[in-house]
Amino acid sequence: LIPSMACQQRLRTLLAHAMRGAVKDDAGAWSGILRRTLASSAASASSSSSAAAAEAMAASRNVVGGRSMAETIIRPPTFLPVGVKKYKPTTPGFRHRVITSRIGLWQGKPYDPLVRGKKRIDGRNNSGRICVWGRGGGHKRKRRVVDFKRKAHWGVDGRIVRFEYDPNRSAHIALVRYDTEGVDDPTSREWLLSPLPGSSQVAYILAAHGMEEGQVVQQGPDASLDVGNAMPLRCIPMGTTIHNIELVPGRGAAMARSAGTSATLLRTSKDDYVMIRLTSGEVRLIHENSMATIGTVSNGQHKQVNHGKAGARRWLGWRPQTRGVAMNPVDHPHGGGEGKTSGGRPSVSPWGKPSKGGLTRKRRGNIANPFIV
């Protein structure tokens, strides 16, 4: 059965309404809409042969997760977005622009009790001097208070209410509510969409890849080994993929927090320390009481983003950077020379450190940090 043009337009309209949350997440209603739409398409395609129609129907009944492919596509999303969005080349700036998909993220404002004001420092230090080049301007942002310690609700099960975009980090964040005691059905969508309690019962956490709305989130030594649950490193088996890792117990996560990053637990507790391997290949020793979260950080397609034009970088607070070969010798090691010179030496930073593959750390036997293996 080949849907008519009107049928295809109807499906696209329904999909657009679903992505905006205009239609409730009712699987039965969506199945009815799909059957009626396909029935109208069948009536318009009655002139085709029965064998070809049966073959087309068999091809369209590509079952995914117990539902047909069409039902899977038009069902409103309740999970983290996956994939990228490419723009049509209607303008030069859109021709190569690629951003990560935000379908399924919360379209409203963030949870106000967990929002703080944020002052832009634009690359200045406490005395007002520029210490980071190429920063300044950009859109105003508000800081979301993210729980990196995961100890405020120790041993209490929470439920994921929604996923949100955070302009201050590359990963997505999840809003979790912990007032599940006394609730008849904490998995119901009505309870998840009910008014949120006070800020003491709600928290933002880093969203892990594979999370879904309504999922149980646990923290503590007795938590299950499910994606998004946090526990001390001594409770995690060897070979587990983890993220959101504390370097010092109780200080909050400091490693593997950006989009798509993770680490692997290589060795369980020995002399109060465990061994982990980062994606860079570095192997570190971390105290067994440090907290870590199971899984990989969400928004792994962030590395495929292409801003498309210089103005998009300005929106994010990045200013143009001057090449070192265009500076004077007093400003950069590559500066000076008669005419267009190439620098006259291997590429280095403004402070003389090799910038293209050179060694910037002491050899392994002379490392000052004993926690790097």
Side-chain angles (χ1 to χ4, degrees), residues 133-153:
W133 296 357
R135 301 304 301 267
H139 201 285
K140 289 184 178 180
R141 301 176 183 177
K142 291 185 177 180
R143 183 171 63 89
R144 280 75 168 166
V145 181
V146 180
D147 183 12
F148 289 112
K149 297 183 179 181
R150 300 290 293 271
K151 289 189 176 180
H153 305 280

Side-chain angles (χ1 to χ4, degrees), residues 110-180:
Y111 182 58
D112 191 64
L114 295 178
V115 174
R116 304 288 186 270
K118 183 179 180 181
K119 180 181 178 181
R120 302 192 70 94
I121 59 176
D122 293 337
R124 270 73 173 173
N125 60 6
N126 58 345
S127 63
R129 295 179 180 272
I130 295 177
C131 55
V132 179
W133 296 357
R135 301 304 301 267
H139 201 285
K140 289 184 178 180
R141 301 176 183 177
K142 291 185 177 180
R143 183 171 63 89
R144 280 75 168 166
V145 181
V146 180
D147 183 12
F148 289 112
K149 297 183 179 181
R150 300 290 293 271
K151 289 189 176 180
H153 305 280
W154 192 262
V156 179
D157 291 353
R159 294 277 178 175
I160 297 177
V161 179
R162 64 192 185 217
F163 300 103
E164 297 186 12
Y165 168 79
D166 189 350
N168 303 303
R169 66 191 73 254
S170 57
H172 299 312
I173 56 177
L175 186 66
V176 182
R177 59 186 304 175
Y178 294 94
D179 57 332
T180 57

Side-chain angles (χ1 to χ4, degrees), residues 215-231:
Q215 175 183 329
V216 176
V217 176
Q218 301 173 333
Q219 39 273 322
D222 299 327
S224 61
L225 293 173
D226 294 329
V227 172
N229 291 348
M231 62 197 74

Side-chain angles (χ1 to χ4, degrees), residues 84-118:
V84 296
K85 175 183 177 181
K86 295 184 178 180
Y87 288 81
K88 292 183 178 180
T90 55
T91 64
F94 275 0
R95 181 169 298 278
H96 302 290
R97 182 170 172 81
V98 178
I99 64 172
T100 56
S101 175
R102 296 180 185 175
I103 296 176
L105 295 181
W106 176 248
Q107 300 295 319
K109 294 183 178 181
Y111 182 58
D112 191 64
L114 295 178
V115 174
R116 304 288 186 270
K118 183 179 180 181

